Amino acid sequence: MSLNSLRGSAAIVGVATFGQGEAHGFTDIEILARSARAAVADAGLKMSDIDGLCTASSSASMWAMPVVEYLGIRPRFIDSTMLGGSSFVAHLMPAIQALQSGQCNAVLVCYGSAQRTAAFGRREMVAARKFLDPQPYETPYDPMMPPSAYALAASRHMHEFGTTRRDLAEVAVAARAWAALNPEAFMREPLSIDDVLNARMISDPLSVRDCCLVTDGGGAYVLVRAERARDLQARPVYVLGNATAVWNRQISSMHDLTVTAASESGPAAFAMAGLKPSDIDVVQLYDAFTINTLLFLEDLGFCRKGEGAAFVRNGGIGPGGHLPVNTNGGGLSCVHPGMYGIFPIVEAVRQLRGECGERQVAGARTALAHGNGGMLSSQSTAILATEEAL
């Protein structure tokens, strides 16, 4: 079975989020379950219809097992591959293959985290990882991860291409402008370039406004075969392309701090989709830090390497700009519950279904959703489209 034969063979028919921001009194699995049940209902299905499951967690190595138990399902296909934040974009391909092989008929992809309000939150998780998952070339030096890793990439991009802190601030300001139009976004207050530049420094050159939020939140989507999607209640969004690439785990193992594995996953996803960057109407990127957006715009082919700064200047990726990027507000202003990768998929689907209210991109028929995991480590790209763009 060739990848091209899988183009448009599956469609996302339900999406949902829950608990974005602060979800007091909820656990990770309760947030996940609320998202999952809402996504299944959005598809017009029942939980008993779900016979495939994809999920991952940064806090549990056997996470799929309690999820199966809690949701009360007995899936015939399970994928709990953990690639960090990109996992939920990377789950698309094995889910599509399972659907096409007949192994299952409806796949639920879901995630939930209470990292902001839980007693065992992000600070404790970072400390635990030093013992449970040490990085041999970095952990002994006790860097402040992940900000220091991304600060290295930002510093190199600035040195090599003349990118400035003001250019990075453009990314944060654009994300906030989109978030102001999104009732679900955690931070919606006005944000200026000067606000970003004058904010508390976290890891030079990244200030706190260059860094993603620390929130609770969950998301889910449901995937079925294309022929079945046409009979369900929601407008289907087809998966035209998907690819994943991993070149490193540690930031110190990157051969070039300005080139990520998105430069492999992006072209492969576009090739499968039969599209090119100029064909994409709306872009959802994993913006854990402002430098991510520049790197991914370059590596995915929306501009040349080193031209990301010029691409985002003067509101280029904000409302009214030349390319709508992170229309929900992204990880910088909307939500970031440890792993953000499911939210680019959810927002892309909502844009293609025309459900985004004030932030809706008029006439959107194609979307790119991109996930990042680890320290610019795993990269996964998905190309989605409405039926008109098949």
mmCIF file with all atom_site columns, all heavy atoms in Angstrom, residues 320-334:
data_model
loop_
_atom_site.group_PDB
_atom_site.id
_atom_site.type_symbol
_atom_site.label_atom_id
_atom_site.label_alt_id
_atom_site.label_comp_id
_atom_site.label_asym_id
_atom_site.label_entity_id
_atom_site.label_seq_id
_atom_site.pdbx_PDB_ins_code
_atom_site.Cartn_x
_atom_site.Cartn_y
_atom_site.Cartn_z
_atom_site.occupancy
_atom_site.B_iso_or_equiv
_atom_site.pdbx_formal_charge
_atom_site.auth_seq_id
_atom_site.auth_comp_id
_atom_site.auth_asym_id
_atom_site.auth_atom_id
_atom_site.pdbx_PDB_model_num
ATOM 1  N N   . GLY A 1 320 ? -5.401 39.467 9.408  1.00 0.00 ? 320 GLY A N   1
ATOM 2  C CA  . GLY A 1 320 ? -5.210 40.409 8.311  1.00 0.00 ? 320 GLY A CA  1
ATOM 3  C C   . GLY A 1 320 ? -3.867 40.320 7.638  1.00 0.00 ? 320 GLY A C   1
ATOM 4  O O   . GLY A 1 320 ? -3.606 41.043 6.670  1.00 0.00 ? 320 GLY A O   1
ATOM 5  N N   . GLY A 1 321 ? -2.987 39.427 8.101  1.00 0.00 ? 321 GLY A N   1
ATOM 6  C CA  . GLY A 1 321 ? -1.668 39.250 7.495  1.00 0.00 ? 321 GLY A CA  1
ATOM 7  C C   . GLY A 1 321 ? -1.723 38.394 6.248  1.00 0.00 ? 321 GLY A C   1
ATOM 8  O O   . GLY A 1 321 ? -2.791 37.948 5.816  1.00 0.00 ? 321 GLY A O   1
ATOM 9  N N   . HIS A 1 322 ? -0.539 38.131 5.674  1.00 0.00 ? 322 HIS A N   1
ATOM 10 C CA  . HIS A 1 322 ? -0.513 37.390 4.413  1.00 0.00 ? 322 HIS A CA  1
ATOM 11 C C   . HIS A 1 322 ? -0.644 35.879 4.594  1.00 0.00 ? 322 HIS A C   1
ATOM 12 O O   . HIS A 1 322 ? -0.934 35.158 3.633  1.00 0.00 ? 322 HIS A O   1
ATOM 13 C CB  . HIS A 1 322 ? 0.756  37.717 3.619  1.00 0.00 ? 322 HIS A CB  1
ATOM 14 C CG  . HIS A 1 322 ? 2.022  37.567 4.395  1.00 0.00 ? 322 HIS A CG  1
ATOM 15 N ND1 . HIS A 1 322 ? 2.608  36.349 4.630  1.00 0.00 ? 322 HIS A ND1 1
ATOM 16 C CD2 . HIS A 1 322 ? 2.814  38.487 5.002  1.00 0.00 ? 322 HIS A CD2 1
ATOM 17 C CE1 . HIS A 1 322 ? 3.720  36.529 5.334  1.00 0.00 ? 322 HIS A CE1 1
ATOM 18 N NE2 . HIS A 1 322 ? 3.872  37.813 5.587  1.00 0.00 ? 322 HIS A NE2 1
ATOM 19 N N   . LEU A 1 323 ? -0.437 35.358 5.813  1.00 0.00 ? 323 LEU A N   1
ATOM 20 C CA  . LEU A 1 323 ? -0.654 33.935 6.081  1.00 0.00 ? 323 LEU A CA  1
ATOM 21 C C   . LEU A 1 323 ? -1.183 33.777 7.511  1.00 0.00 ? 323 LEU A C   1
ATOM 22 O O   . LEU A 1 323 ? -0.488 34.118 8.466  1.00 0.00 ? 323 LEU A O   1
ATOM 23 C CB  . LEU A 1 323 ? 0.645  33.137 5.928  1.00 0.00 ? 323 LEU A CB  1
ATOM 24 C CG  . LEU A 1 323 ? 0.509  31.619 6.151  1.00 0.00 ? 323 LEU A CG  1
ATOM 25 C CD1 . LEU A 1 323 ? -0.340 30.991 5.039  1.00 0.00 ? 323 LEU A CD1 1
ATOM 26 C CD2 . LEU A 1 323 ? 1.880  30.948 6.205  1.00 0.00 ? 323 LEU A CD2 1
ATOM 27 N N   . PRO A 1 324 ? -2.406 33.254 7.679  1.00 0.00 ? 324 PRO A N   1
ATOM 28 C CA  . PRO A 1 324 ? -2.951 33.055 9.030  1.00 0.00 ? 324 PRO A CA  1
ATOM 29 C C   . PRO A 1 324 ? -2.226 31.903 9.721  1.00 0.00 ? 324 PRO A C   1
ATOM 30 O O   . PRO A 1 324 ? -2.275 30.756 9.255  1.00 0.00 ? 324 PRO A O   1
ATOM 31 C CB  . PRO A 1 324 ? -4.420 32.693 8.768  1.00 0.00 ? 324 PRO A CB  1
ATOM 32 C CG  . PRO A 1 324 ? -4.680 33.023 7.334  1.00 0.00 ? 324 PRO A CG  1
ATOM 33 C CD  . PRO A 1 324 ? -3.375 32.882 6.628  1.00 0.00 ? 324 PRO A CD  1
ATOM 34 N N   . VAL A 1 325 ? -1.546 32.192 10.827 1.00 0.00 ? 325 VAL A N   1
ATOM 35 C CA  . VAL A 1 325 ? -0.776 31.187 11.563 1.00 0.00 ? 325 VAL A CA  1
ATOM 36 C C   . VAL A 1 325 ? -1.246 31.151 13.012 1.00 0.00 ? 325 VAL A C   1
ATOM 37 O O   . VAL A 1 325 ? -1.340 32.187 13.669 1.00 0.00 ? 325 VAL A O   1
ATOM 38 C CB  . VAL A 1 325 ? 0.733  31.496 11.493 1.00 0.00 ? 325 VAL A CB  1
ATOM 39 C CG1 . VAL A 1 325 ? 1.529  30.515 12.359 1.00 0.00 ? 325 VAL A CG1 1
ATOM 40 C CG2 . VAL A 1 325 ? 1.236  31.450 10.055 1.00 0.00 ? 325 VAL A CG2 1
ATOM 41 N N   . ASN A 1 326 ? -1.537 29.967 13.499 1.00 0.00 ? 326 ASN A N   1
ATOM 42 C CA  . ASN A 1 326 ? -1.954 29.757 14.890 1.00 0.00 ? 326 ASN A CA  1
ATOM 43 C C   . ASN A 1 326 ? -3.164 30.617 15.247 1.00 0.00 ? 326 ASN A C   1
ATOM 44 O O   . ASN A 1 326 ? -3.124 31.457 16.150 1.00 0.00 ? 326 ASN A O   1
ATOM 45 C CB  . ASN A 1 326 ? -0.788 29.995 15.848 1.00 0.00 ? 326 ASN A CB  1
ATOM 46 C CG  . ASN A 1 326 ? 0.311  28.961 15.672 1.00 0.00 ? 326 ASN A CG  1
ATOM 47 O OD1 . ASN A 1 326 ? 0.082  27.910 15.091 1.00 0.00 ? 326 ASN A OD1 1
ATOM 48 N ND2 . ASN A 1 326 ? 1.496  29.265 16.168 1.00 0.00 ? 326 ASN A ND2 1
ATOM 49 N N   . THR A 1 327 ? -4.242 30.345 14.545 1.00 0.00 ? 327 THR A N   1
ATOM 50 C CA  . THR A 1 327 ? -5.435 31.177 14.638 1.00 0.00 ? 327 THR A CA  1
ATOM 51 C C   . THR A 1 327 ? -6.196 31.031 15.955 1.00 0.00 ? 327 THR A C   1
ATOM 52 O O   . THR A 1 327 ? -7.109 31.821 16.223 1.00 0.00 ? 327 THR A O   1
ATOM 53 C CB  . THR A 1 327 ? -6.376 30.875 13.464 1.00 0.00 ? 327 THR A CB  1
ATOM 54 O OG1 . THR A 1 327 ? -6.637 29.457 13.417 1.00 0.00 ? 327 THR A OG1 1
ATOM 55 C CG2 . THR A 1 327 ? -5.739 31.291 12.136 1.00 0.00 ? 327 THR A CG2 1
ATOM 56 N N   . ASN A 1 328 ? -5.844 30.033 16.756 1.00 0.00 ? 328 ASN A N   1
ATOM 57 C CA  . ASN A 1 328 ? -6.465 29.921 18.084 1.00 0.00 ? 328 ASN A CA  1
ATOM 58 C C   . ASN A 1 328 ? -5.701 30.713 19.137 1.00 0.00 ? 328 ASN A C   1
ATOM 59 O O   . ASN A 1 328 ? -6.178 30.877 20.268 1.00 0.00 ? 328 ASN A O   1
ATOM 60 C CB  . ASN A 1 328 ? -6.560 28.454 18.511 1.00 0.00 ? 328 ASN A CB  1
ATOM 61 C CG  . ASN A 1 328 ? -5.199 27.783 18.631 1.00 0.00 ? 328 ASN A CG  1
ATOM 62 O OD1 . ASN A 1 328 ? -4.204 28.301 18.126 1.00 0.00 ? 328 ASN A OD1 1
ATOM 63 N ND2 . ASN A 1 328 ? -5.155 26.633 19.274 1.00 0.00 ? 328 ASN A ND2 1
ATOM 64 N N   . GLY A 1 329 ? -4.506 31.219 18.794 1.00 0.00 ? 329 GLY A N   1
ATOM 65 C CA  . GLY A 1 329 ? -3.636 31.875 19.752 1.00 0.00 ? 329 GLY A CA  1
ATOM 66 C C   . GLY A 1 329 ? -2.422 31.045 20.093 1.00 0.00 ? 329 GLY A C   1
ATOM 67 O O   . GLY A 1 329 ? -1.487 31.519 20.740 1.00 0.00 ? 329 GLY A O   1
ATOM 68 N N   . GLY A 1 330 ? -2.431 29.776 19.654 1.00 0.00 ? 330 GLY A N   1
ATOM 69 C CA  . GLY A 1 330 ? -1.256 28.925 19.803 1.00 0.00 ? 330 GLY A CA  1
ATOM 70 C C   . GLY A 1 330 ? -0.911 28.587 21.241 1.00 0.00 ? 330 GLY A C   1
ATOM 71 O O   . GLY A 1 330 ? -1.632 28.903 22.194 1.00 0.00 ? 330 GLY A O   1
ATOM 72 N N   . GLY A 1 331 ? 0.237  27.956 21.399 1.00 0.00 ? 331 GLY A N   1
ATOM 73 C CA  . GLY A 1 331 ? 0.736  27.631 22.724 1.00 0.00 ? 331 GLY A CA  1
ATOM 74 C C   . GLY A 1 331 ? 1.191  28.856 23.481 1.00 0.00 ? 331 GLY A C   1
ATOM 75 O O   . GLY A 1 331 ? 1.314  28.833 24.707 1.00 0.00 ? 331 GLY A O   1
ATOM 76 N N   . LEU A 1 332 ? 1.421  29.951 22.775 1.00 0.00 ? 332 LEU A N   1
ATOM 77 C CA  . LEU A 1 332 ? 1.879  31.188 23.397 1.00 0.00 ? 332 LEU A CA  1
ATOM 78 C C   . LEU A 1 332 ? 0.762  31.941 24.107 1.00 0.00 ? 332 LEU A C   1
ATOM 79 O O   . LEU A 1 332 ? 1.007  32.637 25.087 1.00 0.00 ? 332 LEU A O   1
ATOM 80 C CB  . LEU A 1 332 ? 2.532  32.096 22.352 1.00 0.00 ? 332 LEU A CB  1
ATOM 81 C CG  . LEU A 1 332 ? 3.855  31.606 21.771 1.00 0.00 ? 332 LEU A CG  1
ATOM 82 C CD1 . LEU A 1 332 ? 4.253  32.441 20.556 1.00 0.00 ? 332 LEU A CD1 1
ATOM 83 C CD2 . LEU A 1 332 ? 4.968  31.645 22.824 1.00 0.00 ? 332 LEU A CD2 1
ATOM 84 N N   . SER A 1 333 ? -0.467 31.825 23.604 1.00 0.00 ? 333 SER A N   1
ATOM 85 C CA  . SER A 1 333 ? -1.560 32.612 24.196 1.00 0.00 ? 333 SER A CA  1
ATOM 86 C C   . SER A 1 333 ? -2.857 31.850 24.408 1.00 0.00 ? 333 SER A C   1
ATOM 87 O O   . SER A 1 333 ? -3.709 32.315 25.163 1.00 0.00 ? 333 SER A O   1
ATOM 88 C CB  . SER A 1 333 ? -1.855 33.844 23.333 1.00 0.00 ? 333 SER A CB  1
ATOM 89 O OG  . SER A 1 333 ? -0.891 34.858 23.529 1.00 0.00 ? 333 SER A OG  1
ATOM 90 N N   . CYS A 1 334 ? -3.038 30.683 23.754 1.00 0.00 ? 334 CYS A N   1
ATOM 91 C CA  . CYS A 1 334 ? -4.302 29.962 23.904 1.00 0.00 ? 334 CYS A CA  1
ATOM 92 C C   . CYS A 1 334 ? -4.217 28.899 24.986 1.00 0.00 ? 334 CYS A C   1
ATOM 93 O O   . CYS A 1 334 ? -4.892 28.981 26.018 1.00 0.00 ? 334 CYS A O   1
ATOM 94 C CB  . CYS A 1 334 ? -4.722 29.322 22.581 1.00 0.00 ? 334 CYS A CB  1
ATOM 95 S SG  . CYS A 1 334 ? -6.295 28.415 22.695 1.00 0.00 ? 334 CYS A SG  1
#
